[in-house]
Amino acid sequence: MNYEAVIGIEIHCELKTETKMFSGAPLGYGQPANTAINEIDISMPGTLPQVNKTAVEYGVKLSQALGCDIDTLMRFDRKNYFYSDLPKGYQITQQFYPLGSHGSFEFFVGEELKSVRINRLHMEEDTAKQFHEGDITRIDFNRAGTPLLEIVTEADFRTGEEAAAYVDALRLLVIYLGISDGRMDEGSLRCDVNISIRPEGQEAFGTKVEVKNLNSISNIQKAIEFEKERHIEVVTSGGAIVTETRRFDEKTQETVSMRTKESAVDYRYFVEPNIPPIRIPESLLQPLTQELPVAKVQRYHEEYDLSYYDANVLVKNIELSEYFEKLVASSKHYKLIVNWLTQDIMAVLDKKEDKSMEEWIKPEFFIDFIDAIESNTISSKQAKQVFAKLIEGESPKKVIKDSGMVQISDEATLMAWINGVLDANPQIIDDYRNGLDKSIKFVVGQVMKLSKGQANPRLTNEFVIRELDNRK
């Protein structure tokens, strides 16, 4: 019997606001422990929450980008959650009236465009961070109160590849919107996966297991693939899947049980009494006009005839994508530009340091470089030499001139060298007649020596073959 996985994803996205969700304390990632807090964050008596307007604006932006229905009357709820990482003993969230609902999101899996249904998007506050040291637990409240958006999908994914591609695409989306830095390694974007299996063709879902706090795109795919195989092994051996929460162990590349769920946790939700319903102002509900990543990939494919792979590579680097737009405004050599950007430039981006792309390599210099290659002014080997100077800020035209790199493409000049080599080495013609291809390479090599490397290698090769055919 063949089984398929049924997967749903919950993403917690920290927002890039200046202050916290319900207090005026600054966001404190990387700050000394317990320094980016105020009395609201640690729930001192008499304190009251105040909603962060910028966080609401960011929530509306993402809701619009995901095609969600937006509830313009904001209401918050209390989720009673008696853990040490929530000093109030509850979390302010949106259980009953999420900001966004019934949306959908398109993303690429390789070159195939897929779509996932978005169940809900709601706002809440993050918890404090705990550090366990033996029998001691230390708590840093800097993260407590950080604005969060939780995005919950329907169980529309069937493979780890699809799930990983979705998370990567949504991470890029929040970066494009400017609402989060999307740093999974820093916890700015965290992912929980719910997975079950069922026989192919069956409608009913199987028993669900949750894998918590996946912190990289690759780990999402690995965890899902491991869980699917684990589920299949348990079921086919006559066992039963246990409803539980698991984590992914990077060392063993396996999921590990954290706790079982014998019954649903009763969080005793009720309306947050300290935040009255708030009508979202019209100024925050203006239509989203920004071009989003998937649309940009489609445009690059259609307008510049780029492959979906190349378009995706470009779009995933916002600065490189913007630089590409400037270059193609002055040049039609789209494919050549993309090849150098996505291969050679990306390989040395660390040399840019804190400069912008335009400060590092002037767009006009890059265009001069591309034109020199396209016009066969320089060979591919010479292009590598010019590129080394280009990333140091030098003008390609000056480098080519000063180094005497200009290729010789004049047919009369090339043919004079070719005939000279053949006249001096008549045995080459016999070798060619006998099918020895090395005869061509010999003549081309001799011409390159005579020209001090400046002969156009492509034209030289063509002319050599033509002349040898004539002399057969």
Side-chain angles (χ1 to χ4, degrees):
M1 181 180 293
N2 293 324
Y3 291 88
E4 69 174 0
V6 178
I7 306 155
I9 296 178
E10 300 171 9
I11 289 178
H12 289 84
C13 175
E14 288 186 353
L15 299 180
K16 196 169 62 175
T17 54
E18 293 184 4
T19 57
K20 295 186 178 180
M21 186 67 219
F22 300 111
S23 85
L27 299 191
Y29 181 84
Q31 299 299 314
N34 296 311
T35 58
I37 57 175
N38 67 11
E39 59 277 5
I40 295 177
D41 304 321
I42 55 176
S43 192
M44 295 293 286
T47 57
L48 292 172
Q50 185 173 2
V51 177
N52 185 324
K53 182 179 178 181
T54 302
V56 175
E57 178 186 353
Y58 289 175
V60 169
K61 269 189 178 183
L62 186 55
S63 296
Q64 290 174 325
L66 296 175
C68 291
D69 297 331
I70 297 174
D71 190 339
T72 58
L73 185 63
M74 290 201 69
R75 287 158 282 191
F76 289 93
D77 307 296
R78 281 191 185 181
K79 176 183 181 181
N80 290 281
Y81 188 82
F82 293 105
Y83 282 70
S84 54
D85 55 4
L86 278 164
K88 296 192 293 290
Y90 61 86
Q91 181 187 40
I92 302 178
T93 183
Q94 290 184 308
Q95 172 66 12
F96 302 117
Y97 302 99
L99 174 62
S101 59
H102 306 110
S104 65
F105 180 54
E106 289 187 328
F107 61 100
F108 282 99
V109 182
E111 295 198 351
E112 184 180 2
L113 193 62
K114 294 269 189 177
S115 179
V116 62
R117 292 172 295 160
I118 304 297
N119 177 287
R120 60 187 283 136
L121 178 150
H122 64 261
M123 307 193 72
E124 59 188 24
E125 58 182 336
D126 209 345
T127 61
K129 194 169 184 178
Q130 301 184 80
F131 300 88
H132 304 290
E133 302 171 3
D135 296 332
I136 299 173
T137 296
R138 302 183 187 278
I139 305 176
D140 179 5
F141 287 104
N142 283 353
R143 195 177 71 181
T146 297
L148 281 182
L149 292 178
E150 181 171 351
I151 306 102
V152 182
T153 74
E154 301 289 357
D156 288 348
F157 305 102
R158 297 294 174 264
T159 68
E161 183 186 15
E162 288 179 359
Y166 160 73
V167 176
D168 197 27
L170 194 132
R171 184 189 68 82
L172 185 62
L173 175 64
V174 299
I175 294 171
Y176 260 76
L177 292 174
I179 67 175
S180 174
D181 61 21
R183 293 290 300 270
M184 296 188 77
D185 57 325
E186 296 180 357
S188 300
L189 193 136
R190 308 192 292 274
C191 178
D192 300 337
V193 169
N194 294 295
I195 178 171
S196 64
I197 63 166
R198 66 185 178 189
E200 289 184 356
Q202 177 179 299
E203 290 294 325
F205 291 173
T207 302
K208 178 177 67 176
V209 168
E210 182 180 33
V211 185
K212 296 282 285 184
N213 294 326
L214 292 162
N215 63 356
S216 76
I217 303 301
S218 63
N219 283 351
I220 291 166
Q221 183 166 348
K222 291 173 185 176
I224 288 172
E225 290 171 352
F226 176 84
E227 271 300 289
K228 178 183 177 181
E229 294 306 313
R230 186 184 72 83
H231 284 213
I232 292 173
E233 185 177 340
V234 169
V235 171
T236 55
S237 62
I241 302 298
V242 177
T243 303
E244 61 181 333
T245 300
R246 299 175 73 88
R247 65 177 177 83
F248 183 70
D249 188 317
E250 291 193 53
K251 291 182 180 178
T252 63
Q253 299 288 288
E254 298 177 349
T255 63
V256 180
S257 181
M258 295 170 62
R259 55 184 178 272
T260 58
K261 295 181 179 181
E262 295 182 0
S263 60
V265 178
D266 182 7
Y267 291 114
R268 295 179 292 114
Y269 288 100
F270 61 86
V271 173
E272 168 55 55
N274 291 328
I275 304 178
I278 302 170
R279 181 69 64 185
I280 299 176
E282 285 293 326
S283 60
L284 299 188
L285 296 170
Q286 298 305 308
L288 195 63
T289 57
Q290 179 180 350
E291 184 179 41
L292 301 180
V294 169
K296 183 172 281 192
V297 168
Q298 292 278 34
R299 180 168 65 83
Y300 282 4
H301 176 66
E302 295 168 6
E303 190 172 336
Y304 304 119
D305 197 29
L306 304 188
S307 70
Y308 281 115
Y309 175 82
D310 284 341
N312 267 300
V313 171
L314 266 185
V315 170
K316 283 183 178 180
N317 187 309
I318 296 176
E319 189 176 20
L320 212 59
S321 173
E322 291 174 347
Y323 190 66
F324 170 76
E325 301 267 6
K326 287 184 170 62
L327 297 178
V328 295
S330 304
S331 173
K332 302 298 182 185
H333 306 311
Y334 310 135
K335 185 61 179 176
L336 192 57
I337 290 172
V338 169
N339 286 344
W340 281 92
L341 287 180
T342 59
Q343 296 172 30
D344 300 81
I345 289 291
M346 287 192 75
V348 294
L349 273 177
D350 58 319
K351 295 185 178 181
K352 181 170 73 70
E353 298 175 338
D354 59 350
K355 301 173 188 170
S356 70
M357 279 297 302
E358 291 183 63
E359 290 172 325
W360 184 36
I361 305 172
K362 294 179 180 179
E364 58 268 30
F365 283 2
F366 200 99
I367 294 299
D368 289 342
F369 172 63
I370 293 296
D371 287 344
I373 298 170
E374 185 64 28
S375 64
N376 291 314
T377 301
I378 56 175
S379 66
S380 57
K381 183 178 179 180
Q382 291 170 327
K384 294 290 185 182
Q385 298 170 351
V386 176
F387 179 77
K389 297 295 185 180
L390 176 68
I391 62 176
E392 293 176 0
E394 294 192 34
S395 162
K397 286 184 177 179
K398 187 174 186 303
V399 172
I400 293 167
K401 181 181 178 182
D402 292 349
S403 303
M405 285 185 182
V406 177
Q407 282 194 132
I408 297 171
S409 299
D410 177 67
E411 183 174 353
T413 304
L414 294 176
M415 286 305 302
W417 281 323
I418 291 168
N419 286 321
V421 173
L422 291 176
D423 291 343
N425 300 276
Q427 78 281 1
I428 291 298
I429 299 168
D430 291 332
D431 290 343
Y432 183 72
R433 288 187 187 126
N434 293 324
L436 296 178
D437 289 340
K438 66 179 183 180
S439 56
I440 301 171
K441 293 180 181 177
F442 174 80
V443 179
V444 171
Q446 291 302 304
V447 171
M448 295 306 290
K449 284 182 180 178
L450 290 169
S451 67
K452 298 180 180 178
Q454 290 182 268
N456 183 315
R458 180 180 60 80
L459 290 177
T460 300
N461 196 73
E462 290 178 10
F463 295 160
V464 167
I465 294 172
R466 186 182 70 188
E467 185 61 23
L468 283 170
D469 284 338
N470 290 336
R471 294 197 185 195
K472 269 186 179 182

